[in-house]
């Protein structure tokens, strides 16, 4: 078996090199000795059809006694007979007339060639080379070195070689008529000269490197242009590596990583019912024929990809960490059964290895991709469970899990979060300290929500542990930065940061605290959870289950000699009242609110029952913020906007207010737009930044608060005081090239 496997590998390597070659003639010359060695033979001749004279002419051969061999396509020679009849011949002794006559009475061996070459022919194995209905030549090997007849293994090998040669020769003939080479697109469009291409082909063959790699490295051809050339050549879509590609878990079960890496292919997803397979050569019929049966007769769509990108996809899908099983091993253990099993009744434990590995890998992958949240979403019936990651504010499919393991998956997460796995009717929330399960130092906040069909959704938020970002790196406009800095350095008062969940409120508060964190100032924080740690802060984790809430923590702080108090959220009347009282008794208080804008925050607090006079005295400022996706710095493209696009930005900002920016329209005005590159996974966006509106507690604003004024009046006064709205701040960041209007519109209305 070992010998057979080794022999098969050598055949595959030779066929792969023929398929990958830009010039069939040259690669056959290079491979001549390897083919002879493969069959343990003495000589090789490869014939091609001369279509004009209807003859076989030697293209590649061993021995140099005769420069060229020409044979009629007839029974007058062995190769001619094979080409004429379209059948393989395996002859033990060409001089045995009885053996030849048993095959065909008219079959002859022309002995004159032996006399001319002084080579004694004995055993011959010869196969026709054809593609579909076209005869293209013949391949003939002669004389096994051990004197025996060529065996069955040799017949299989010569058929594979003949088939590969048929495809290669047919493509070469077709390309001579239509387009001579794989990279003609590069030459025709002036990206490369023919001389440079020929040099690259020669260098690739000499160094045994991929020509695509050499073109990108030595000739600075972009991957996108290489992809365009390959797509035109193979008449197949080009697919570039994207690390955010969802892992197609249901397609990976049973596939062998070494086999895919060796042959450069991997399934990457679906297009409707069709399975998309990335492959380095969609014309390689031998590989295609091996791949098709692996997917139970389902229709496959082959997309061409670079070898390095295919390997990256394989490493992404089948993570190469020694301590972690690959996805195929995990999914392989999750064998799909027709009868759904209630895993809670079965008794899911932390020792159920496949589920344990799957959850661990999910968390590690999310952390590696800088995801903020992991969504586990089961569906009723036999639809597979989907796992999505939220990255830069947008959800992306990560992978699917067989439907009958949805309960086990949720139960495992609940076990890790110390939640009740038997309770499926009520929402629950908990935390995972991933390190105690043998992973990295990752902490997750977990929420389960019952959904229709007796199922549960799970959302895990990855808590961003680390140092605070300096305040001047938070993306503030110059005016907002100066105003915000002026209020965070006040000795007492209250400051709110508002916005929806995930808008960076806690990050901003910690940046503000970092700005005033000095040895002479005592700072207490009450957080749920403690995400960012700072030396010098006394940080407290509230525990709602035992009655240690924000209000309780604040009362404790007021007895502990504070200068500054930060409260994670003021969600009730009691906490807000204590915060305002603390700010009026000489303390600087920071907190967050879940409101949409700064003016709305004032009306919300008054509606909660706050005394308007105390609140007016305490308020220093309210900062509303959102996070917008930023254009990728590496690939964003400058352009000159049209007058219509400029006018649209002016309308969004407000025509009167826009005049103060002093940005007139001209044909030289430069904005930036998305392009897409490998750094941003072809999205055009990479990272996020804040947009802000800062309402200052001016004397005029305090009077309106005391009067419980309408929100519109509060907004108008804030604008008079110099407040830039969220959308206006976003439009300013469009003009400075950080983002585009589409992203601003996604996160704010006014």
């Amino acid at each position: 078996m070992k010998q057979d496997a080794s022999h098969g590998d050598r055949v595959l390597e030779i066929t792969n090199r023929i398929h990958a070659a830009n010039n069939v003639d040259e690669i056959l010359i290079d491979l001549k000795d390897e083919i002879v060695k493969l069959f343990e033979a003495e000589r090789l001749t490869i014939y091609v059809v001369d279509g004009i004279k209807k003859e076989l002419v030697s293209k590649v051969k061993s021995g140099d006694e005769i420069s060229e061999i020409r044979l009629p396509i007839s029974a007058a020679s062995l190769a001619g007979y094979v080409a004429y009849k379209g059948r393989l011949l395996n002859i033990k002794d060409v001089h045995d007339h009885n053996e030849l006559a048993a095959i065909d009475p008219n079959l002859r061996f022309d002995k004159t060639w032996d006399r001319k070459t002084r080579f004694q022919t004995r055993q011959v194995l010869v196969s026709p080379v054809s593609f579909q209905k076209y005869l293209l030549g013949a391949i003939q090997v002669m004389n096994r070195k051990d004197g025996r007849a060529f065996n069955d293994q040799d017949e299989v090998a010569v058929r594979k070689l003949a088939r590969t040669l048929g495809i290669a020769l047919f493509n070469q003939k077709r390309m001579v008529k239509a387009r001579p080479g794989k990279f003609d697109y590069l030459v025709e469009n002036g990206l490369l000269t023919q001389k440079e291409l020929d040099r690259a082909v020669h260098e690739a063959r000499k160094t045994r490197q991929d020509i695509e790699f050499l073109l990108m490295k030595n000739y600075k051809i972009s991957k996108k242009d290489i992809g365009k050339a390959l797509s035109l050549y193979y008449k197949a879509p080009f697919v570039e590596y994207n690390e955010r590609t969802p892992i197609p878990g249901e397609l990976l079960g049973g596939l062998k990583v070494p086999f895919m890496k060796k042959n450069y292919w991997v399934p990457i997803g679906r297009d409707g019912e069709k399975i998309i397979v990335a492959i380095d050569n969609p014309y390689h019929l031998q590989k295609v024929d091996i791949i098709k049966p692996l997917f139970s007769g389902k229709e496959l769509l082959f997309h061409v990809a670079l070898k390095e990108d295919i390997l990256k996809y394989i490493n992404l899908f089948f993570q190469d960490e020694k301590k972690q099983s690959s996805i195929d091993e995990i999914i392989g253990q999750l064998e799909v059964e027709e009868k759904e099993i209630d895993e809670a009744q079965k008794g899911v434990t932390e020792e159920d290895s496949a589920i344990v590995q799957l959850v661990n890998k999910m968390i590690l992958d999310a952390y590696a991709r800088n995801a903020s949240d992991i969504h586990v979403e089961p569906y009723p019936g036999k639809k597979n469970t989907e796992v999505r990651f939220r990255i830069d504010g947008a959800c992306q499919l990560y992978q699917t899990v067989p439907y009958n393991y949805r309960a086990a998956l949720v139960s495992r997460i609940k076990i890790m979060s110390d939640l009740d796995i038997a309770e499926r009717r009520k929402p629950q929330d908990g935390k995972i300290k991933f390190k105690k399960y043998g992973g990295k130092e990752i902490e997750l906040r977990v929420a389960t929500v019952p959904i229709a069909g007796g199922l549960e959704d799970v959302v895990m938020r990855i808590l961003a542990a680390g140092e605070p970002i300096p305040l001047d790196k938070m993306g503030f406009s110059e005016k907002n930065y100066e105003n915000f800095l002026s209020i965070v350095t006040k000795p007492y008062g209250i400051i709110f940061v508002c916005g929806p969940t995930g808008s960076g409120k806690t990050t901003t508060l910690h940046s503000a605290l970092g700005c005033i964190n000095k040895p002479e100032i005592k700072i207490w924080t009450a957080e749920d959870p403690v995400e960012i740690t700072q030396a010098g802060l006394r940080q407290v984790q509230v525990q709602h289950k035992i009655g240690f809430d924000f209000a309780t923590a604040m009362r404790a702080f007021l007895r502990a000699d504070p200068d500054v108090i930060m409260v994670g959220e003021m969600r009730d009347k009691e906490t807000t009242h204590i915060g305002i009282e603390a700010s009026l008794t000489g303390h600087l208080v920071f907190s967050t609110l879940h409101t949409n804008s700064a003016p709305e925050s004032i009306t919300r607090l008054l509606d909660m029952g706050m005394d308007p006079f105390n609140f007016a005295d305490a308020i220093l400022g309210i900062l509303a913020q959102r996070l917008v996706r930023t254009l990728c710095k590496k690939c964003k493209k400058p352009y000159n906007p049209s007058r219509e696009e400029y006018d649209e930005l002016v309308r969004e900002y407000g025509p009167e207010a826009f005049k103060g920016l002093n940005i007139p329209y001209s044909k030289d005005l430069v904005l930036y737009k998305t392009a897409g590159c490998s750094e941003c996974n072809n999205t055009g966006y990479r990272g996020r930044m804040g947009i802000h509106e800062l309402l200052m507690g001016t004397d005029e604003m305090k009077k309106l608060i005391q009067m419980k004024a309408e929100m519109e009046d509060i907004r108008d006064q804030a604008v008079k005081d110099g407040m830039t709205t969220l959308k206006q701040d976003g439009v300013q960041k469009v003009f400075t090239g950080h983002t585009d209007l589409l992203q601003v519109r996604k996160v704010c209305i006014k």
Side-chain angles (χ1 to χ4, degrees):
M1 289 298 293
K2 286 183 180 178
Q3 184 181 354
D4 291 345
S6 173
H7 189 271
D9 289 345
R10 287 156 61 200
V11 173
L12 188 58
E13 183 183 348
I14 291 170
T15 57
N16 281 343
R17 289 177 63 187
I18 294 171
H19 274 300
N22 205 42
N23 187 305
V24 179
D25 298 348
E26 291 182 3
I27 195 65
L28 288 178
I29 292 169
D30 288 351
L31 289 173
K32 176 180 63 178
D33 294 336
E34 288 184 43
I35 296 172
V36 171
K37 188 176 179 182
L38 174 72
F39 292 95
E40 297 178 358
E42 292 179 355
R43 292 214 171 178
L44 164 77
T45 306
I46 296 175
Y47 298 91
V48 295
V49 172
D50 182 334
I52 297 173
K53 297 184 178 180
K54 305 298 182 185
E55 292 179 335
L56 291 180
V57 56
S58 59
K59 175 70 71 173
V60 176
K61 65 183 184 62
S62 305
D64 53 7
E65 298 89 350
I66 298 175
S67 59
E68 187 180 84
I69 301 173
R70 284 186 170 270
L71 302 172
I73 300 177
S74 69
S77 67
L78 302 183
Y81 176 87
V82 164
Y84 180 68
K85 292 289 186 178
R87 56 175 286 193
L88 179 142
L89 283 183
N90 185 355
I91 300 171
K92 186 176 181 180
D93 184 359
V94 296
H95 301 285
D96 185 342
H97 298 291
N98 293 329
E99 184 180 0
L100 297 181
I103 296 169
D104 190 310
N106 298 316
L107 183 59
R108 297 285 183 271
F109 171 66
D110 189 348
K111 297 178 182 179
T112 59
W113 292 110
D114 275 10
R115 289 196 293 271
K116 290 177 183 177
T117 60
R118 298 178 183 177
F119 174 79
Q120 186 69 30
T121 307
R122 298 185 303 278
Q123 302 86 24
V124 169
L125 177 64
V126 56
S127 171
V129 173
S130 60
F131 179 78
Q132 294 176 352
K133 61 182 181 179
Y134 301 102
L135 174 67
L136 297 162
I139 176 171
Q140 178 174 295
V141 286
M142 294 161 279
N143 293 8
R144 275 187 66 101
K145 290 181 179 178
D146 60 6
R148 300 177 184 174
F150 291 98
N151 55 36
D152 293 344
Q153 183 175 258
D154 295 325
E155 290 188 9
V156 170
V158 81
R159 281 195 172 100
K160 287 181 178 178
L161 281 176
R163 189 177 183 190
T164 302
L165 284 171
I167 298 166
L169 292 170
F170 177 80
N171 285 336
Q172 183 165 276
K173 280 180 176 289
R174 180 172 58 84
M175 287 185 292
V176 165
K177 294 177 184 177
R179 46 194 171 94
K182 199 191 300 188
F183 301 107
D184 274 13
Y185 169 81
L186 304 179
V187 176
E188 290 167 3
N189 288 275
L191 301 170
L192 198 69
T193 66
Q194 186 62 50
K195 196 171 184 180
E196 288 173 328
L197 179 59
D198 293 341
R199 192 187 310 135
V201 169
H202 177 74
E203 187 179 349
R205 190 166 58 250
K206 185 177 179 182
T207 60
R208 293 204 172 190
Q209 295 183 76
D210 291 329
I211 185 170
E212 294 86 354
F213 171 78
L214 287 175
L215 289 175
M216 288 188 288
K217 179 185 175 186
N218 297 344
Y219 298 89
K220 308 305 178 189
I221 305 297
S222 72
K223 184 184 284 189
K224 193 168 283 186
D225 288 325
I226 294 283
K228 178 73 172 174
L230 294 176
S231 179
L232 290 171
Y233 176 77
Y234 289 115
K235 295 182 180 177
F238 174 73
V239 60
E240 192 172 346
Y241 174 70
N242 183 343
E243 69 176 12
R244 296 181 181 179
T245 300
I247 297 177
E250 77 280 11
L251 303 179
L252 303 177
L255 300 182
K256 301 302 179 188
V257 173
F259 176 68
M260 288 191 291
K261 284 188 172 182
K262 186 172 185 178
N263 293 288
Y264 299 104
W265 69 274
V266 65
I268 59 171
R270 290 181 181 272
D271 182 358
E273 293 299 312
K274 299 174 183 176
I275 296 171
I276 299 172
V277 175
I279 191 169
D280 68 319
N281 183 354
Y283 285 171
H284 196 318
L285 294 188
Q286 185 181 350
K287 282 201 283 193
V288 169
D289 286 348
I290 294 172
I291 294 167
K292 284 181 178 178
L294 300 176
F295 295 95
S296 306
K298 292 179 181 174
E299 189 172 351
L300 305 183
L301 288 177
F302 288 95
H303 289 194
V304 64
L306 299 183
K307 289 180 179 179
E308 64 172 351
D309 282 359
I310 292 171
L311 295 178
K312 284 180 182 177
Y313 269 124
I314 294 171
N315 289 334
L316 174 68
F317 297 163
F318 304 83
Q319 196 161 333
D320 285 340
E321 291 191 17
K322 292 180 180 177
K323 294 181 180 178
Q324 208 178 343
S325 295
S326 67
I327 272 287
D328 95 315
E329 291 172 345
I330 297 170
I331 297 295
Q333 293 176 54
L334 303 180
E335 294 179 359
V336 178
E337 303 166 2
E338 288 300 319
K339 186 178 179 183
E340 185 174 352
I341 300 168
D342 187 333
E343 294 293 345
Q345 293 178 4
K346 184 181 174 185
V348 176
T349 68
E350 294 180 11
E351 285 75 37
D352 290 326
S353 62
I355 294 296
V356 169
Q357 293 168 42
L358 184 62
V359 173
N360 288 355
K361 185 178 192 312
M362 186 192 306
I363 292 171
L364 287 170
D365 281 358
Y367 183 77
R369 298 188 194 189
N370 295 319
S372 59
D373 302 86
I374 305 168
H375 297 256
V376 179
E377 300 168 332
Y379 290 88
K382 294 188 176 182
K383 185 175 179 182
N384 290 335
T385 296
E386 291 185 352
V387 180
R388 295 195 288 166
F389 291 166
R390 186 181 292 279
I391 301 172
D392 286 344
C395 284
Q396 301 162 2
L397 183 64
Y398 163 64
Q399 72 173 78
T400 55
V401 178
Y403 69 90
N404 53 332
Y405 283 85
R406 59 195 172 206
L409 183 60
V410 172
S411 295
R412 172 59 189 170
I413 296 170
K414 289 168 82 172
I415 288 169
M416 295 172 74
S417 314
D418 295 324
L419 302 179
D420 182 358
I421 66 170
E423 179 56 74
R424 299 182 180 181
R425 300 165 300 169
K426 296 191 300 185
Q428 299 183 67
D429 56 84
K431 290 176 188 166
I432 296 175
K433 289 190 180 292
F434 192 58
K435 189 172 184 180
K436 77 177 184 179
Y437 297 99
K440 295 179 179 177
E441 186 103 35
I442 305 170
E443 190 171 346
L444 303 100
R445 188 166 62 203
V446 180
T448 69
V449 183
I451 61 170
L455 304 173
E456 290 178 283
D457 261 35
V458 180
V459 179
M460 294 179 278
R461 165 151 289 193
I462 299 174
L463 303 180
E467 295 293 317
I469 302 169
L471 198 60
D472 59 356
K473 305 293 185 187
M474 292 293 292
F476 284 106
S477 67
E478 186 176 346
K479 182 177 71 174
N480 281 341
Y481 174 73
E482 290 174 357
N483 287 340
F484 192 59
L485 188 62
S486 72
I487 61 176
V488 301
T489 52
K490 297 284 187 186
Y492 57 86
I494 192 164
I495 299 168
F496 290 100
V497 178
C498 64
T501 302
S503 59
K505 300 184 296 295
T506 303
T507 303
T508 299
L509 284 179
H510 269 279
S511 295
L513 292 176
C515 187
I516 60 174
N517 184 6
K518 296 178 174 59
E520 62 267 23
I521 297 176
K522 180 65 178 261
I523 302 174
W524 285 98
T525 75
E527 302 172 68
D528 182 25
V530 176
E531 297 183 39
I532 302 171
T533 57
Q534 290 193 59
L537 269 57
R538 311 314 300 154
Q539 296 178 261
V540 173
Q541 170 86 52
V542 299
Q543 304 283 348
H544 294 286
K545 291 179 181 178
I546 61 172
F548 183 35
D549 55 16
F550 286 121
T552 307
M554 286 193 72
R555 281 193 290 268
F557 293 166
L558 290 172
R559 296 191 295 271
D561 188 30
D563 293 306
V564 178
I565 296 171
M566 191 270 270
V567 185
E569 184 182 352
M570 289 192 175
R571 62 179 72 166
D572 56 65
K573 180 178 179 179
E574 183 182 11
T575 309
T576 311
H577 178 74
I578 296 170
I580 291 173
E581 289 296 325
S583 68
L584 292 172
T585 55
H587 306 96
L588 184 61
V589 179
F590 294 88
S591 190
T592 70
L593 286 170
H594 282 98
T595 51
N596 288 322
S597 68
E600 281 180 44
S601 302
I602 291 176
T603 56
R604 171 76 62 84
L605 289 163
L606 292 173
D607 289 344
M608 287 170 65
M610 296 303 103
D611 180 272
F613 290 93
N614 286 346
F615 180 34
D617 287 344
I619 191 71
L620 291 174
I622 301 175
L623 178 75
Q625 75 173 49
R626 299 288 189 278
L627 293 177
V628 294
R629 299 175 78 184
T630 53
L631 298 171
C632 175
K633 292 182 177 63
K634 185 175 180 182
C635 68
K636 66 180 181 180
K637 285 187 175 180
Y639 74 104
N640 303 116
S642 64
R643 182 77 201 201
E644 291 75 15
E645 189 174 351
Y646 173 83
D647 290 342
E648 185 179 12
L649 287 167
V650 172
R651 281 195 304 273
E652 293 286 358
Y653 194 92
E656 287 302 315
F658 188 81
K659 292 176 183 177
L661 295 182
N662 193 26
I663 305 176
Y665 178 75
S666 73
K667 292 182 179 180
D668 297 326
L669 180 66
V670 175
L671 296 182
Y672 290 84
K673 61 183 178 180
T674 59
C677 66
S678 58
E679 292 290 323
C680 62
N681 298 305
N682 291 313
T683 62
Y685 301 99
R686 192 178 184 205
R688 291 188 291 175
M689 74 182 303
I691 58 173
H692 310 91
E693 68 178 25
L694 179 57
L695 181 151
M696 298 293 287
T698 61
D699 291 341
E700 291 77 10
M701 184 62 68
K702 290 176 186 291
K703 289 176 185 176
L704 289 177
I705 294 172
Q706 289 170 353
M707 295 165 57
K708 289 190 174 183
E710 295 291 330
M711 190 190 72
E712 287 76 11
D713 296 332
I714 293 172
R715 179 183 291 278
D716 291 343
Q717 182 59 52
V719 171
K720 286 179 185 176
D721 292 336
M723 182 184 83
T724 303
T725 67
L726 284 167
K727 182 169 277 190
Q728 287 174 340
D729 195 46
V731 171
Q732 286 185 27
K733 289 179 166 70
V734 172
F735 278 105
T736 53
H738 290 105
T739 187
D740 57 29
L741 186 58
L742 174 64
Q743 296 304 317
V744 175
R745 281 174 169 164
K746 280 185 176 181
V747 297
C748 60
I749 299 171
K750 294 181 179 179

